Amino acid sequence: MPASKAQQRAVSRYVKKNYDRVEIKTPKGGKDEIRAHATAQGESVNAFICRAIREAMERDNAEQPPQD
């Protein structure tokens, strides 16, 4: 059963209030590669991208020498 217009608006307001949006661009075919990898890992594309970014940030922060 499709969502009503009121439900769609409510979801849209919720998403706008609780999430930031980030657009990425990838060369042609990259989207399909990302989707296939995410699926193989049992994740959505969004979950995979968020995890990959979080892991890269943690790794980058661990490699930086402590600041005085």
Side-chain angles (χ1 to χ4, degrees), residues 7-30:
Q7 187 178 15
Q8 290 172 351
R9 285 191 302 270
V11 169
S12 180
R13 282 192 306 269
Y14 175 83
V15 168
K16 189 173 185 176
K17 179 181 176 185
N18 293 287
Y19 294 94
D20 291 325
R21 294 186 60 87
V22 177
E23 180 180 351
I24 65 166
K25 291 178 175 51
T26 181
K28 289 286 185 184

Side-chain angles (χ1 to χ4, degrees), residues 36-64:
H37 184 81
T39 300
Q41 297 300 312
E43 297 177 294
S44 68
V45 170
N46 187 70
F48 166 64
I49 291 172
C50 288
R51 179 175 61 83
I53 291 169
R54 189 174 49 255
E55 288 176 0
M57 288 170 42
E58 289 172 359
R59 184 177 57 248
D60 292 348
N61 289 335
E63 292 173 358
Q64 293 178 356

